[in-house]
Amino acid sequence: MSAIYKKELKSYFSNMTGYIAIALILVVAGILSRILNFRGLYGGMEGILPTLSMILMLAVPIVAMRSFAEERQLKTDLLLYCLPLKTTQIVLGKYFAMMTVFAVPTGAMLLYPLILSMYGKVNFLSAVSSLLAFYLLCGAMCAICMFMSSLTESQVIAAVLGVSALVVCYASTILAEALPATAIASFLAFTVLICLLALVVYYFARNYWVAFAVGTVLEAGMLIAYLIDGSRFAGLFQKVIGSLSLFQKMNEFVSLQLFDTTVLIYFLSVSFLFCFFTVQTVEKRRWS
Amino acid sequence: MIEVKNLTKRYGDRTVVSHLNFTIAPGKIYGFLGPNGAGKSTTMNMITGCLAPTEGVVLIDGHDICEDAVAAKRQIGYLPEIPPVYPDMTPEEYLRFVAGAKGIRASEIPDQVESAMRQTDITEVRDRLIKNLSKGYRQRVGIAQAMLGEPKLILLDEPTVGLDPRQILEIRELILRLGKSRTVILSSHILAEVSAVCDHVMIMRRGKLVASDTLENIRKNNMPENRVSVTVKATPAAVEPVLRGIPGILSYETKCDTEEKELTDLEIEVEPGQDIREKLFFAFAEKKMAVRKLARAELSLEEIFLRLTDDSEDYEEDGDGGEENGSGVSSSEEENEEEDEEDDEEDDYVPLFGKKTDGEDEK
């Protein structure tokens, strides 16, 4: 795994992508900090992080787009397959290399509370824990974009897929809020989600029957729940989407100023899940 | 070294490799020969674990390439058809990366990388970016990569494709050198290449092994035993009565020599087990017809290869192993019989002429 990690890390800094992502985050962080902390005379640098996480929607796909798409494009994926390495090691090597790139701006931002402390009182614990949450959010986004990269051999398509996934993630709460909070609206929205899930199952299994069975079972279960107590569905979709949104979680973590471990565990879980999906996608290509 | 059992790869209903069975003994250079699309690369990808087989098992030194992949892959060095190199790395960086990924100890990496570069003659370009190297050098970097970790087995998929004649000769020499210390399997659709370097040849057609032997044996086993080729100084009309008087002739074809009208070329098919060459000689001598040539009909290696890999027949593949259908257009009945026989004996080598030989027994 360390060989893959070193090679990936080196490649991020032998071309522009690593530098661009780091510069992008630090420039925006600097501007936001100047507005919020210096002009606004506010000592908590963590206040910039929810807004800064929006720039990750661009920075993360720039870094992650090449992870697997480039290997397929250069036909070096065959080399990875025939090396005595497990697919998990390859995926984790690449994932940790990406995480190291994002450790640079996050590490640099650790200096912000120190600088701010020269001018007034700073809550270090709150700042550091928020930066930890921000870093884990980067990790979750990296995993999502790495998965998108494993789906295609075009880096451009990988980047577009990555940005789209993150934008959907960001806008999901807004879209969910736009839906009526009635029970039937929630039911229909969940039905659409179940259809999408069945499509994902079909992509992995390439079997109509399995996808159909998964979709039918979930839909039937939901229908039964709806028939038993339909009133519980009122506003449920908004709640579920709100509790799944990465950006919403980040906002809550910073604004409540609580060290909420569920948020950190949630980010880690998303990272794990998408790393797992990536392993499955890479493995699947060997079979098809 | 390698045991391949019932190896099959299907993409949907299309069978690309069909029920391959063979073993590879250590210390030889093997060649996969076949036209484009015969399934050579797919077979190599399956042997190296890059592609999972639909059915069947590949054992590398007793390790299953799917179940015990890491142990099996440690024995293998593989150069795919397109060298898997990173254009933004130098050969040295690239080889160090591959060495690390192959689990070579850090203290041994510099020596191994140096040795691989020396053997493949890329030391002088070690610091240039791979994207600036010629195709020949990239190929060498790919071969150097395959040599790292001192694998017992090296697989090279069409290693000379796209190279100029001089580079081809250099790569062939390199393969011969590699073959002295380890087992090498290379694939090619060029007969001359395989005959120049390989000890043992496996000919593939449409995902099936149609021959597996030394080139000499393949040639011997595919020679037509019951055909005689004669050139006589006489007209066809004068020759025919002579032939009718000789027992044991099944059929014959006559044609006038294109350059000398006085000469007649004859292709005679005789009953199996009979040698009528002396009878022919005396019969023509009696009629005062000079015999210019009298020999068993021979096929060149190219002709044998073309006949073994002949795709002109109209095959139909079904979803269950791509079995060939004898109802297609065929050049002769004899060939139809061969196809039927091949279907019955799926993976055994069936020569075009002469007795049936089991390829594995020959080893």
Side-chain angles (χ1 to χ4, degrees), chain A residues 3-4 7 10 14-15 70-71 74-76 78-86 89 285-288, chain B residues 9 11 48-53 70 73-74 78 80 84-87 89 93-94 97 100-102 145:
Chain A
I4 300 276
K7 184 219 110 191
K10 207 170 176 183
S14 66
N15 59 42
E70 190 189 38
E71 302 277 2
L74 296 173
K75 308 284 178 204
T76 44
L78 278 182
L79 173 73
L80 298 183
Y81 283 135
C82 73
L83 287 172
L85 292 171
K86 290 179 179 158
Q89 291 175 309
R285 198 160 309 118
R286 248 213 286 242
W287 293 87
S288 57
Chain B
K9 184 70 188 175
Y11 292 110
T48 51
C50 296
L51 199 62
V70 173
K73 285 176 185 175
R74 283 195 198 285
Y78 181 38
V85 290
Y86 295 98
M89 282 178 154
E93 281 172 348
Y94 172 71
F97 155 64
K102 283 190 175 182
Q145 161 276 122

Side-chain angles (χ1 to χ4, degrees), chain B residues 122-133:
Chain B
I122 53 171
T123 319
E124 65 196 49
V125 295
R126 62 196 300 163
D127 296 324
R128 283 170 59 183
L129 288 179
I130 293 175
K131 66 181 168 194
N132 296 330
L133 297 181

Side-chain angles (χ1 to χ4, degrees), chain B residues 105-217:
Chain B
R105 263 185 280 170
S107 57
E108 291 174 19
I109 288 177
D111 287 345
Q112 287 221 16
V113 167
E114 202 63 42
S115 155
M117 285 199 293
R118 211 174 37 247
Q119 287 186 63
T120 50
D121 209 9
I122 53 171
T123 319
E124 65 196 49
V125 295
R126 62 196 300 163
D127 296 324
R128 283 170 59 183
L129 288 179
I130 293 175
K131 66 181 168 194
N132 296 330
L133 297 181
S134 68
K135 175 99 173 72
Y137 271 117
R138 283 187 205 190
Q139 203 76 5
R140 283 160 193 251
V141 174
I143 296 177
Q145 161 276 122
M147 289 163 61
L148 289 170
E150 295 173 351
K152 292 179 187 168
L153 176 71
I154 291 184
L155 293 102
L156 309 169
D157 193 358
E158 309 217 356
T160 58
V161 159
L163 302 185
D164 66 36
R166 190 186 154 155
Q167 290 170 328
I168 290 176
L169 285 177
E170 286 171 357
I171 296 280
R172 276 186 199 164
E173 277 170 23
L174 176 61
I175 294 168
L176 283 169
R177 282 206 301 274
L178 285 175
K180 285 179 186 157
S181 54
R182 53 202 110 191
T183 311
V184 178
I185 304 178
L186 67 93
S187 79
S188 178
H189 57 270
I190 304 160
L191 181 71
E193 180 163 298
V194 170
S195 61
V197 291
C198 297
D199 305 314
H200 190 107
V201 178
M202 289 183 277
I203 300 180
M204 287 186 79
R205 180 186 63 185
R206 291 183 170 251
K208 289 183 178 179
L209 207 58
V210 289
S212 175
D213 213 326
T214 59
L215 263 181
E216 197 44 50
N217 281 344

